[in-house]
Amino acid sequence: MALIRRRKPNEPSKTSVQREEEEEEEDNSKNKHPKKSYKKSKPKWSCLDNCCWFVGCICVTWWVLLFLYNVMPASFPQYVTEAITGPMPDPPGVKLRKEGLKAKHPVVFVPGIVTGGLELWEGHQCADGLFRKRLWGGAFGEVYRRPLCWVEHMSLDNETGLDPPGIRVRPVCGLVAADYFAPGYFVWAVLIANLARIGYEEKTMYMASYDWRLSFQNTEVRDQTLSRIKSNIELMVATNGGNKAVIIPHSMGALYFLHFMKWVEAPAPMGGGGGPDWCAKHIKAVMNIGGPFLGVPKAVSGLFSAEAKDIAVARAIAPGVLDKDLFGFQTMQHIMRMSRTWDSTMSMIPKGGATIWGDLDWSPEEGYVPGKRKQKNADTQKASQDGLESNISQIKRTNYGRIISFGKDVAEALSSDIERIDFRDAVKGQSVANTSCRDVWTEYHDMGFGGIKAVAEYKVYTAGSILDLLHFVAPKMMERGSAHFSYGIADDLDNPKYQHYKYWSNPLETKLPNAPEMEIFSLYGVGIPTERSYVYKLSPSAECAIPFQIDSSADEQYEDSCLKGGVYTVDGDETVPVLSSGFMCAKGWRGKTRFNPSGSKMFIREYDHSPPTNLLEGRGTQSGAHVDIMGNFALIEDIMRVAAGATGEELGGDQVYSDIFKWSEKIHLQL
């Protein structure tokens, strides 16, 4: 930069020509004497400048990537994946279309709990602008914008189990009700897309969506859902040349459809009046995916403390976060208050008591070793069993029958060493929480410290005492549940009392329809640690806290331990243990039994879990996880072949990797 000489006050002003000449002379002198030159000063950047540049770079990068994504060939992602992992197999729909398979039997999808969308039809002032918007399923934006309002509208009336005054939330209709749970997270979408490749379309596919929060009979009382399912199946069969329907329930949907099959044949007004041969006339096969026929221990922990393994892990990683009052929203308490109004959750409480699930000293899965399961067939069964027995002698015994134990020492102790104080006659009392926690009120606040202490001092709960425990800690919820569900084993199925709808979703207290040609499948994943029993502790003292929580510090150090983070696991699909998914088809319904008097054929098809090898595979095409299995190519192919006319025998009969037949034989049930 040129130096400018200041003019003295009395010095006459110079012309522009003279100034330019002087500046040239100064520049020349600088070139002759470089040591005297001055450095050019650099402008300083502020934080605002840095932020603007950073945002600008992100935006430019985003738009470039978006442009490249839109201009790239549609096959490019598959090309990259195949370059890394090798050639991808054809989707089942493409493969079976090449074989010449075509749509034949109409199919009906029955979604499970929480996977079906719910939308608002009437609400309070805080829900303005949400008419017919999804409160459940989709983006879940309202959970973040107005969480307390969302909880209020997702809850049912705690007395009736139906709509609260001034609120109407209803199930979404059509295939979109449960094709995706959230953007990018498929449920039924992959199966629907593959069925479409062999000719299926909306007139031959029906999503039997329902309000999964309600008890099964109340879906008919409030929405006439069971009548709609009956009418749609009849219409689809009539308009498809008389070809019977293939029903595909998932998860709790298996229990819901079991209830439907009894309802549709029962006389009105309690039933649908279809007559004793309705199922035989209209249903070819029922292909249950991950069906919790005998319940799930996970339901117990959810109702008892509003948590499961995932919540216990989150608590261990970030202690206290879930229990804090975040923006006026005490997470766990509100979840408990809301979920305890959903009567459907009580349908998944373990059924069959100690006969099925074991007691203090026995369980069918006794001796299970994680990671040691092998495929069972005629050549390897004895060798693998011998290897399994040798492993059993080297590890600690797991008492799976103790579904809830207060303390790891109680879970492992001999039953004769456990001193228990019966909680059933304990006197409940109020605590200070009664006056300070009204916004997050749960039934625990009515128990008081005396009732809470009594529950902990009983120390261990089996499937036989779980019902008494839940009646003690959640009397309102269980009073409603007892009117709609039952959990025992029938002595005499011809007793007129079993004609009541409360027994219809319990396979141990009801008969299958008189439909000898109808086939029933149990399709489920295996090879994933699945919650079976829990180690609990009293929560840290707090007025508004849930008083019990899973003890995430309870752990075992050896490699093949079943106990991790306070949860004992067994073989299953991460949600439903093998015992619950497979027992009825393995033994309870197999052949002509009192639960299956017409001898409908049973098939077990297990899918050994194989996680995706890299991120490009998404959730995997060989997954056995409870929801991800809906994208399992082998399962989809089995379903499509049956829908196109194949029988269970033509699929290859049973496909078993677990010890389900061995465990079933240990259960002494009158058949």
Side-chain angles (χ1 to χ4, degrees), residues 251-264:
S251 189
M252 190 185 76
L255 300 178
Y256 186 69
F257 196 75
L258 190 63
H259 180 99
F260 170 84
M261 287 193 293
K262 295 299 293 183
W263 173 89
V264 74

Side-chain angles (χ1 to χ4, degrees), residues 130-162:
L130 298 181
F131 176 68
R132 293 203 64 202
K133 298 289 177 62
R134 289 201 182 197
L135 292 186
W136 188 272
F140 287 93
E142 299 310 316
V143 180
Y144 312 109
R145 295 192 189 100
R146 29 190 159 183
L148 293 178
C149 182
W150 179 81
V151 167
E152 179 184 8
H153 285 75
M154 280 297 298
S155 300
L156 295 170
D157 188 278
N158 204 28
E159 301 292 337
T160 65
L162 295 168

Side-chain angles (χ1 to χ4, degrees), residues 204-318:
T204 49
M205 293 188 287
Y206 169 59
M207 183 71 72
S209 58
Y210 58 99
D211 190 336
W212 45 262
R213 302 172 302 162
L214 299 174
S215 67
F216 301 158
Q217 192 70 7
N218 273 346
T219 63
E220 174 67 14
V221 171
R222 196 193 72 179
D223 301 332
Q224 295 76 54
T225 303
L226 299 174
S227 295
R228 295 173 189 274
I229 294 174
K230 175 177 180 284
S231 298
N232 275 283
I233 292 175
E234 291 172 344
L235 177 64
M236 293 171 77
V237 170
T239 56
N240 280 275
N243 289 316
K244 300 177 186 178
V246 172
I247 315 299
I248 312 169
H250 173 242
S251 189
M252 190 185 76
L255 300 178
Y256 186 69
F257 196 75
L258 190 63
H259 180 99
F260 170 84
M261 287 193 293
K262 295 299 293 183
W263 173 89
V264 74
E265 294 186 343
M270 186 180 296
D277 59 350
W278 189 95
C279 291
K281 289 180 178 178
H282 294 91
I283 300 176
K284 174 192 187 299
V286 183
M287 307 191 75
N288 302 287
I289 304 175
F293 290 108
L294 301 178
V296 286
K298 197 171 187 175
V300 175
S301 63
L303 295 172
F304 185 54
S305 60
E307 60 181 343
K309 180 175 68 174
D310 301 335
I311 299 297
V313 170
R315 271 200 172 114
I317 295 172

Side-chain angles (χ1 to χ4, degrees), residues 12 55 124 222-223 366 379 407 666:
V55 172
H124 296 160
R222 196 193 72 179
D223 301 332
E366 188 175 45
D379 297 324
K666 293 182 180 180

Side-chain angles (χ1 to χ4, degrees), residues 81 84-86 88 186 610-622:
T81 303
I84 297 173
T85 64
M88 293 281 289
F186 69 81
S610 181
T613 56
N614 58 68
L615 293 175
L616 294 174
E617 291 187 23
R619 288 154 62 191
T621 60
Q622 301 178 65

